[in-house]
Amino acid sequence: MYFGYNNLTAVTDDALAREGLGRAHHRALYFIARRPNLTVSQLLAALAITKQSLGRVLNELSERGLIETRLGVHDRRQRLLRLTQAGVALETALFEGVRARLSTAYASAGQGAVTGFWAVLEGLISADERAQYFMGRS
């Protein structure tokens, strides 16, 4: 598991390093890409990091023009996060590297192994996280 994880993340780590970014930036980009208008509070809960750490990450992403923040429609105190075009391009490139590595591994393992692998991964997700992030799926 350790070596698989290292090899999977190596492709994104290299790309992030070229941008002067790290894994925390990647995780933020990943979640914001999949849930446009994600609130800062929701992202904080998903990443389970300190408010101070998230603030640093979001400030850097904003300064680089990768994310934008909007005020909430119903609650003006909320800060809604979205990727900019540059943010979409970077997140897409990062995800493409991961997708390519996974596709190669999936092709080698076969469909039965892939189905079992996803069942194991989903089994590692807590009930609370499953309810919050995978609504409509059992």
Side-chain angles (χ1 to χ4, degrees):
M1 196 162 147
Y2 173 79
F3 293 113
Y5 175 77
N6 278 348
N7 283 294
L8 184 61
T9 58
V11 67
T12 56
D13 286 347
D14 293 343
L16 288 164
R18 286 192 298 274
E19 296 290 326
L21 300 172
R23 288 184 184 172
H25 300 94
H26 182 218
R27 288 188 292 269
L29 290 169
Y30 176 86
F31 277 100
I32 296 167
R34 277 143 193 86
R35 290 182 78 180
N37 292 323
L38 184 70
T39 67
V40 172
S41 296
Q42 289 169 324
L43 183 58
L44 190 60
L47 296 178
I49 60 176
T50 67
K51 202 173 195 178
Q52 184 178 16
S53 294
L54 181 59
R56 266 193 311 273
V57 166
L58 294 178
N59 285 338
E60 289 176 25
L61 293 174
S62 182
E63 288 169 5
R64 291 169 182 258
L66 299 172
I67 65 168
E68 62 185 18
T69 306
R70 298 178 181 173
L71 295 178
V73 176
H74 302 295
D75 183 349
R76 308 285 289 164
R77 294 171 298 174
Q78 284 184 326
R79 291 178 35 213
L80 307 178
L81 303 168
R82 297 181 66 83
L83 297 183
T84 63
Q85 287 183 334
V88 169
L90 176 59
E91 197 283 328
T92 299
L94 293 170
F95 190 75
E96 179 56 30
V98 171
R99 190 204 61 75
R101 291 244 170 129
L102 285 172
S103 292
T104 299
Y106 289 166
S108 175
Q111 186 58 50
V114 171
T115 301
F117 172 71
W118 276 96
V120 169
L121 288 178
E122 289 177 358
L124 293 172
I125 300 169
S126 73
D128 290 343
E129 289 171 325
R130 186 181 308 276
Q132 184 173 359
Y133 297 104
F134 301 99
M135 293 162 279
R137 293 180 60 191
S138 54

